[in-house]
Amino acid sequence: DQQVKQNSPSLSVQEGRISILNCDYTNSMFDYFLWYKKYPAEGPTFLISISSIKDKNEDGRFTVFLNKSAKHLSLHIVPSQPGDSAVYFCAASAAVSGNTPLVFGKGTRLSVIA
Amino acid sequence: DTGVSQNPRHKITKRGQNVTFRCDPISEHNRLYWYRQTLGQGPEFLTYFQNEAQLEKSRLLSDRFSAERPKGSFSTLEIQRTEQGDSAMYLCASSFPSRPGGPSYEQYFGPGTRLTVT
């Protein structure tokens, strides 16, 4: 039973346009959400996070939106750059409640085309 | 801040052999996590430590797996009697659950150890 789902295995976007990566979760106990970026042969790199008490968090070109009622979050990258091409993982935890291990989705491979 | 380091980066072993991996977390981080990632999947939680105490183990961590963090600094993950199904990327992450300004739940990952069991 997958608690965190990334239903799009891949996404292609033109350089300069917006990339939108989606994530759905099923466990209502999750209260902290993170996005990681992964290049081949490297570990995941932390990008941005959001607590369930917020609905938006922004850091430079990256914005995460959280819709708690729909159990859905999304990562917006604007403008997209070729260096953004990587696999993006959505992760969730009940960290605020004290349960910190992360539950990951299967990832979405983003390709930014120059 | 030198980041999380893991050694070795690659390990090839024959079925039935024992292997041990090491993780050195970011120095001020007191929580250390082990995850496993197979092809096409996201990382899956195995176990984690706060200082030297092992606080949680997932069902993925069979009896052949053991993890230690004896002095609350580096950690080792040992797999005994390896099986081909153990082939995966083993990832270590660390975090510092509290800091000035409020809690921090971000985990920072090392480069991983890729295990191949032949």
Side-chain angles (χ1 to χ4, degrees):
Chain A
D1 177 30
Q2 250 196 304
Q3 299 184 70
V4 177
K5 299 178 185 178
Q6 295 178 256
N7 291 320
S8 298
S10 62
L11 175 68
S12 289
V13 172
Q14 287 277 336
E15 180 180 7
R17 306 294 290 269
I18 185 171
S19 295
I20 300 176
L21 297 98
N22 293 302
C23 178
D24 297 291
Y25 63 96
T26 58
N27 189 338
S28 58
M29 300 299 291
F30 289 149
D31 52 27
Y32 202 77
F33 304 89
L34 309 91
W35 284 93
Y36 285 85
K37 172 181 178 180
K38 189 177 184 302
Y39 293 118
E42 295 183 11
T45 301
F46 169 72
L47 275 178
I48 192 168
S49 61
I50 188 167
S51 164
S52 60
I53 62 172
K54 296 185 175 182
D55 55 17
K56 177 182 174 181
N57 188 26
E58 189 172 355
D59 184 1
R61 297 187 297 114
F62 301 92
T63 303
V64 56
F65 295 92
L66 175 63
N67 183 332
K68 278 182 59 180
S69 60
K71 293 190 174 69
H72 176 83
L73 61 154
S74 60
L75 175 68
H76 293 210
I77 307 172
V78 56
S80 301
Q81 299 173 354
D84 296 330
S85 297
V87 178
Y88 288 78
F89 289 98
C90 171
S93 75
V96 178
S97 309
N99 189 5
T100 57
L102 298 176
V103 179
F104 283 83
K106 291 188 176 183
T108 296
R109 180 177 301 278
L110 173 66
S111 299
V112 180
I113 304 162
Chain B
D1 182 353
T2 58
V4 179
S5 62
Q6 293 187 245
N7 288 289
R9 294 291 306 275
H10 303 274
K11 179 70 177 178
I12 300 174
T13 191
K14 293 187 176 180
R15 184 165 52 93
Q17 298 293 305
N18 299 345
V19 294
T20 300
F21 311 140
R22 176 177 169 131
C23 171
D24 288 88
I26 295 170
S27 58
E28 64 268 26
H29 286 186
N30 62 353
R31 286 194 176 171
L32 185 150
Y33 301 80
W34 286 99
Y35 293 83
R36 181 174 71 184
Q37 185 178 17
T38 54
L39 197 61
Q41 304 294 318
E44 296 173 290
F45 168 71
L46 292 177
T47 187
Y48 88 99
F49 295 82
Q50 178 158 309
N51 300 312
E52 64 275 10
Q54 189 171 17
L55 295 189
E56 187 174 342
K57 296 191 284 188
S58 87
R59 290 171 295 175
L60 291 177
L61 211 68
S62 77
D63 291 344
R64 295 183 298 104
F65 288 68
S66 63
E68 293 183 344
R69 195 183 183 198
K71 296 182 180 179
S73 56
F74 73 91
S75 175
T76 58
L77 177 68
E78 181 183 17
I79 309 174
Q80 296 183 325
R81 305 181 304 281
T82 52
E83 302 173 355
Q84 288 186 320
D86 298 331
S87 295
M89 173 77 84
Y90 289 83
L91 293 162
C92 175
S94 68
S95 73
F96 191 47
S98 63
R99 62 183 175 187
S104 168
Y105 304 112
E106 295 87 24
Q107 295 180 21
Y108 295 88
F109 283 81
T113 295
R114 179 164 296 285
L115 173 66
T116 302
V117 182
T118 62

